[in-house]
Amino acid sequence: MLGLKLPTDPRWVNIVEKNIEDILTDHAFCEQKATSTAISLIVSFPEYTDLVQEMVALVKEEISHFKMVHDIIIKRGWTLGRDRRDDYVVQLQKFFPKGGSRTTQLVHRLLYAALIEARSCERFRLLSEELQDKELADFYRKLMVSEANHYTMFLGFARQYGNKKEVDTKWQQLLEFEGKIMANLGKTETIHG
């Protein structure tokens, strides 16, 4: 369903299990960044009323996910660590050239967001199936559904605002590029890397 070209190596869960505190901190900041992305889309493209409406709802949902992760961190007696650079996102955002029309910029941002959500969904599925910590496995199972909905929403908006055929071509090219990025990642206690 997600179209990802390279699945996550299941051994990544072993890294996660040895570094639960780190993965939870990284996950919390992923939710914060998703919130910020939605706000940025509202600020940058206010003329797209249906997009703005969906982004307002997404802001509420993503910040609630942040709180849920933060609550788990607190419940386990930890504190939220520092945010770290997300090498996956940094590399991914090099794919499309900068500039272009406002519509092109919007479509590119929507495609990036869709792919980040798709990869998160895939990772959450793996965590829900493989984590020994049943509380966290259940938590990730619930979040997996949200991430899948976000992925389809962003991709749908890209197809709505751009030329569908061009958007689908760019989507396939971005998926190929992301697969190459993932070949070198999956070895750290981060949601995407």
Side-chain angles (χ1 to χ4, degrees):
M1 173 189 122
L2 300 171
L4 299 172
K5 301 300 180 188
L6 184 66
T8 296
D9 184 330
R11 293 175 295 182
W12 170 75
V13 177
N14 298 332
I15 296 168
V16 169
E17 294 211 294
K18 293 174 185 160
N19 300 280
I20 295 291
E21 186 175 1
D22 289 331
I23 198 77
L24 288 171
T25 289
D26 186 67
H27 179 188
F29 282 111
C30 287
E31 299 294 354
Q32 175 270 315
K33 290 170 190 168
T35 303
S36 296
T37 295
I39 292 169
S40 176
L41 286 167
I42 292 168
V43 171
S44 298
F45 303 97
E47 67 274 25
Y48 294 93
T49 303
D50 51 347
L51 176 68
V52 170
Q53 289 290 94
E54 287 296 325
M55 291 304 100
V56 169
L58 186 61
V59 166
K60 292 175 184 176
E61 184 178 346
E62 296 289 17
I63 204 65
S64 76
H65 291 172
F66 174 89
K67 182 172 180 357
M68 289 168 26
V69 177
H70 191 242
D71 287 347
I72 292 171
I73 291 169
I74 293 168
K75 180 180 174 186
R76 291 174 181 230
W78 301 324
T79 57
L80 182 64
R82 293 212 172 262
D83 185 20
R84 292 181 288 180
R85 175 181 137 130
D86 190 332
D87 289 329
Y88 168 81
V89 173
V90 169
Q91 290 180 50
L92 189 65
Q93 291 182 334
K94 292 178 181 175
F95 182 71
F96 293 122
K98 301 289 183 219
S101 71
R102 280 180 55 73
T103 301
T104 297
Q105 291 174 41
L106 173 59
V107 165
H108 290 172
R109 287 177 65 182
L110 292 168
L111 290 176
Y112 285 140
L115 188 46
I116 292 166
E117 296 285 352
R119 181 57 69 182
S120 297
C121 178
E122 186 253 2
R123 289 276 172 108
F124 290 174
R125 180 195 55 75
L126 196 58
L127 291 173
S128 76
E129 293 172 353
E130 301 295 331
L131 274 178
Q132 297 302 307
D133 182 323
K134 293 307 169 198
E135 177 188 7
L136 281 183
D138 290 343
F139 174 68
Y140 281 111
R141 187 171 297 103
K142 292 172 189 166
L143 286 186
M144 176 183 66
V145 175
S146 292
E147 301 304 310
N149 290 335
H150 300 165
Y151 143 74
T152 57
M153 175 190 63
F154 281 121
L155 189 55
F157 276 130
R159 289 173 173 151
Q160 177 181 335
Y161 298 133
N163 174 288
K164 185 179 181 315
K165 185 175 179 183
E166 288 177 18
V167 168
D168 287 345
T169 298
K170 287 181 178 188
W171 177 243
Q172 289 306 313
Q173 292 168 341
L174 184 60
L175 285 168
E176 292 291 338
F177 181 75
E178 194 260 2
K180 292 174 185 164
I181 292 171
M182 289 307 294
N184 297 314
L185 296 175
K187 300 165 183 70
T188 61
E189 62 285 350
T190 60
I191 293 294
H192 299 118

